[in-house]
Amino acid sequence: MSKILNIIGGGMAGSEAAWQAAKAGIQVVIHEMRPKVGTFAHRTGNLAEMVCSNSFRSDDHEQNAVGLLHWEMRQAGGIIMEMAAKHRLPAGGALAVDRDPFAKSVTDALLAHPNISLSSAEITTLPDDGHWIVATGPLTSGALAESIRVETGAEQLAFFDAIAPIVYFDSVNMDVAWMQSRYDKGDTPEERTAYLNCPMTKDQYEAFIDALLAADKTEFKEGETASYFDGCLPIEVMAERGRETLRFGPMKPVGLTNAYDPENKAYAVVQLRRDNALGTLYNIVGFQTKMKYGAQKDVFKRIPGLENAEFARLGGIHRNTFINSPTLLDEQMRLRSKPHIRFAGQITGVEGYVESAAMGLLAGRMAVAELRGTPLAPVPHTTAMGALVTHITGGADAKTFQPMNVNFGLFPPLDGMRGGRKGRKERYKGYTDRAKQDWQDWLDGMKVDAA
């Protein structure tokens, strides 16, 4: 049998899997159909292109589960975290990046590696032999998605992802908007001013909600039902759940002081986060939307400070697919009916750039061990990696399985006690201390670098 590892999909998961395997001396072929075959959301042919937010979320590795995942990936020599650090943008406590240079640097590094080659031919069916990782993400091509559906014998699960709009900075009215990160988070003045803030009075907020609810929205095709991942809800869907929902969500005014009127607290605040190193582009935080393009312009220009906004990209909505991993995958992330095929990334039912890349990292290392014929110890379920892979490969209830971000609720309790016995801050620190030790021990026991 061939000792080549084939990876379908060059997104976060596929790129990370390829890097891990290539570093270990394995020959890798990345099968990425872009730019020959495009998708709704992608704009380039670069690997690891960011199609929604430009943020990898919190980088706090002592009090946040996703920050811990960042730490674990760095310890494992992950390319996604390495390039994110090189193209980091000020974003308070979050890890945000300049998306285009980031993707280009990942692409350049992968294609420069002597063990990696790239094929642009579209893979339309699940292969019958060889060593494969399917990391096609939420925008799996129709033909391959159908092949997966036929093989698994189940109806294809689906939900809908929405994309937030991006605004040109020089079109923002800075006589109204001011720069400040929430609670002034950040180690430098630049980080503490990485966000633009647009304040609203109660009357302005109520008028905005009215316009949002009345706006023309994308209609679904006959037979489609709109199921959304809670971490990426369109703002209209949030507003439909209650008029105050946005004010306690992406528009919450806490931790912010209006530079032009410091004595009066805004009723609601819209935040925009820097989207590129030049500071010429800002994305509207949490404003994923399914409004039609014309309606978006009308509604978003009601936001104080954005009356004359010009948009580099408007929001949009696309179909996102994933498999029922607890039923279909074994603990090595292999398809039970075709164990020469592993799945990784969002198609497995993890949600988010970081989680997708992390599952690619594990799939790549698992494939290396299999190709070498060496045993691989189970990933400790006390780690962020282990908690996440355990969840998708059997820890979750298959009947109610839905996409999941990493969170401390997936971790086993500390010292056999339920979390309520400890304060949250102490508990989270306990999770991360335990995870770091167990993750480092696991890495030390699995030497993947080529001899």
Side-chain angles (χ1 to χ4, degrees):
M1 184 178 289
S2 169
K3 294 297 184 180
I4 295 174
L5 176 61
N6 292 278
I7 299 174
I8 310 175
M12 297 292 173
S15 296
E16 191 63 73
W19 185 250
Q20 296 292 321
K23 284 200 310 173
I26 302 298
Q27 293 294 315
V28 178
V29 179
I30 301 174
H31 301 266
E32 173 51 63
M33 65 183 187
R34 294 181 295 111
K36 185 177 180 181
V37 179
T39 75
F40 163 81
H42 291 91
R43 298 182 297 108
T44 75
N46 283 333
L47 305 175
E49 180 182 341
M50 304 178 87
V51 298
C52 189
S53 167
N54 71 322
S55 174
F56 289 105
R57 313 196 319 276
S58 174
D59 203 35
D60 180 355
H61 56 83
E62 293 191 349
Q63 289 290 312
N64 190 286
V66 73
L68 175 60
L69 204 52
H70 292 178
W71 184 92
E72 292 180 5
M73 292 171 69
R74 291 181 180 116
Q75 295 303 111
I79 190 171
I80 298 300
M81 286 296 106
E82 178 185 346
M83 296 308 173
K86 289 184 178 180
H87 298 286
R88 185 169 191 161
L89 297 176
L95 174 57
V97 304
D98 195 346
R99 67 177 75 215
D100 289 339
F102 163 79
K104 186 177 186 305
S105 68
V106 174
T107 304
D108 290 345
L110 289 171
L111 298 187
H113 199 290
N115 291 338
I116 297 176
S117 60
L118 180 67
S119 170
S120 61
E122 180 184 0
I123 304 295
T124 58
T125 59
L126 288 175
D128 291 324
D129 54 30
H131 296 274
W132 294 80
I133 295 175
V134 177
T136 46
L139 298 176
T140 301
S141 69
L144 182 58
E146 176 62 16
S147 177
I148 294 170
R149 190 197 67 79
V150 170
E151 176 60 33
T152 59
E155 284 302 314
Q156 185 176 330
L157 294 176
F159 64 104
F160 291 85
D161 259 357
I163 295 173
I166 294 176
V167 173
Y168 289 106
F169 171 74
D170 61 9
S171 69
V172 177
N173 181 357
M174 294 304 294
D175 290 332
V176 175
W178 77 95
M179 289 184 166
Q180 181 191 10
S181 64
R182 201 178 300 278
Y183 299 110
D184 295 313
K185 284 188 176 181
D187 296 328
T188 67
E190 188 179 33
E191 289 177 336
R192 291 191 289 273
T193 56
Y195 291 80
L196 295 177
N197 300 280
C198 300
M200 283 187 181
T201 64
K202 186 176 189 299
D203 287 345
Q204 289 170 331
Y205 177 80
E206 293 293 344
F208 178 78
I209 295 298
D210 288 339
L212 189 61
L213 293 174
D216 287 337
K217 302 171 183 75
T218 300
E219 300 295 333
F220 296 105
K221 296 178 182 178
E222 186 176 353
E224 287 185 334
T225 57
S227 175
Y228 298 100
F229 170 63
D230 276 350
C232 202
L233 282 175
I235 54 171
E236 316 83 55
V237 175
M238 284 190 273
E240 288 166 0
R241 293 182 175 184
R243 295 184 68 87
E244 293 288 285
T245 302
L246 285 171
R247 208 169 70 83
F248 287 91
M251 295 176 68
K252 59 180 178 286
V254 299
L256 298 167
T257 301
N258 189 336
Y260 303 110
D261 191 7
E263 299 302 318
N264 292 314
K265 185 176 180 179
Y267 190 75
V269 175
V270 175
Q271 282 200 308
L272 293 85
R273 180 178 57 235
R274 186 185 298 188
D275 203 76
N276 67 345
L278 294 174
T280 57
L281 301 174
Y282 278 73
N283 66 73
I284 310 181
V285 179
F287 268 49
Q288 297 81 220
T289 181
K290 61 175 182 173
M291 284 186 287
K292 293 182 178 180
Y293 285 169
Q296 287 185 47
K297 292 181 179 180
D298 291 341
V299 173
F300 293 147
K301 287 187 176 184
R302 291 173 177 266
I303 298 170
L306 301 187
E307 313 89 56
N308 300 309
E310 295 180 8
F311 296 88
R313 183 190 72 190
L314 288 165
I317 191 165
H318 59 271
R319 197 164 186 261
N320 189 341
T321 60
F322 63 99
I323 62 173
N324 194 306
S325 293
T327 300
L328 300 172
L329 302 185
D330 67 13
E331 69 282 354
Q332 288 279 312
M333 303 172 70
R334 295 173 297 207
L335 190 60
R336 295 181 188 276
S337 62
K338 288 183 179 290
H340 63 284
I341 299 175
R342 281 182 169 81
F343 279 75
Q346 274 191 254
I347 197 169
T348 66
V350 298
E351 179 61 25
Y353 294 137
V354 181
E355 290 86 342
S356 296
M359 294 303 94
L361 188 153
L362 285 185
R365 285 179 169 248
M366 289 172 176
V368 167
E370 187 171 280
L371 284 160
R372 287 179 170 176
T374 56
L376 178 65
V379 184
H381 63 297
T382 52
T383 65
M385 292 270 191
L388 200 54
V389 75
T390 297
H391 177 76
I392 66 172
T393 60
D397 185 343
K399 293 181 180 179
T400 58
F401 184 62
Q402 287 291 315
M404 176 69 76
N405 285 125
V406 68
N407 63 85
F408 285 127
L410 302 179
F411 288 54
L414 292 164
D415 303 322
M417 296 189 300
R418 293 296 170 188
R421 298 285 187 89
K422 296 177 180 289
R424 187 175 69 174
K425 187 173 182 179
E426 180 187 2
R427 189 167 72 251
Y428 287 0
K429 183 64 163 58
Y431 284 141
T432 58
D433 287 347
R434 180 182 63 179
K436 288 176 181 180
Q437 183 62 59
D438 291 351
W439 179 246
Q440 193 60 59
D441 290 345
W442 187 80
L443 288 177
D444 291 344
M446 181 198 179
K447 303 300 183 183
V448 301
D449 292 336

